[in-house]
Amino acid sequence: MALQFVKILSKTDTEKRLSLPTKYMKHLPRIRRGHAVNLTVMDEQGRQWHFGYTIRRNGHPKPVLSAGWHDFVKGKYLKPGDQIIFKQEANDAAALYTIGVKRRIRLLGKEVWTA
């Protein structure tokens, strides 16, 4: 069963780091020591991206993708208003994470999302 979230990117998401929904944390790797783990994610073309997954330790935990995220944003030419689809698919060996991108465009006077 695939678990996913969809997010429309904000300016902070495209310029600094991607904030993840807190409720999605239970589907990500546990952070045991320190405050970050490596998270490998595959895009629609089969390319692997390596992100630093961190959480804020003080107060309310806020999960974010930081290290490597900016490379993904630049590589995909993302801008505020674009959308990502982040999925976690379970298999017997380990979780597989994938990420997709959609852009909002105007086509024949209508707004549509395109990959």
Side-chain angles (χ1 to χ4, degrees):
M1 179 175 131
L3 300 163
Q4 76 175 29
F5 71 87
V6 177
K7 182 172 186 187
I8 295 176
L9 299 176
S10 69
K11 184 176 180 182
T12 299
D13 292 329
T14 59
E15 291 181 358
K16 297 182 181 184
R17 66 195 153 278
L18 176 68
S19 295
L20 305 172
T22 303
K23 65 182 179 182
Y24 200 77
M25 282 174 50
K26 64 185 172 193
H27 305 293
L28 294 169
R30 281 188 71 187
I31 298 176
R32 298 190 189 280
R33 293 191 176 169
H35 68 282
V37 295
N38 245 352
L39 184 66
T40 301
V41 179
M42 190 173 300
D43 67 16
E44 301 111 329
Q45 289 78 37
R47 179 176 174 188
Q48 287 188 344
W49 297 86
H50 303 281
F51 303 128
Y53 162 57
T54 63
I55 58 171
R56 183 172 52 197
R57 286 287 184 195
N58 299 330
H60 179 72
K62 177 101 175 141
V64 297
L65 296 183
S66 53
W69 174 249
H70 194 255
D71 293 335
F72 181 79
V73 169
K74 285 178 22 181
K76 298 291 184 177
Y77 305 101
L78 298 177
K79 59 184 187 283
D82 289 344
Q83 186 180 76
I84 61 153
I85 301 94
F86 193 93
K87 294 181 184 178
Q88 182 244 350
E89 302 193 29
N91 67 24
D92 294 337
L96 170 66
Y97 298 97
T98 60
I99 191 166
V101 173
K102 288 190 176 184
R103 291 175 176 73
R104 188 178 0 215
I105 62 168
R106 246 182 169 358
L107 184 64
L108 302 172
K110 293 187 180 184
E111 212 169 73
V112 295
W113 287 97
T114 182

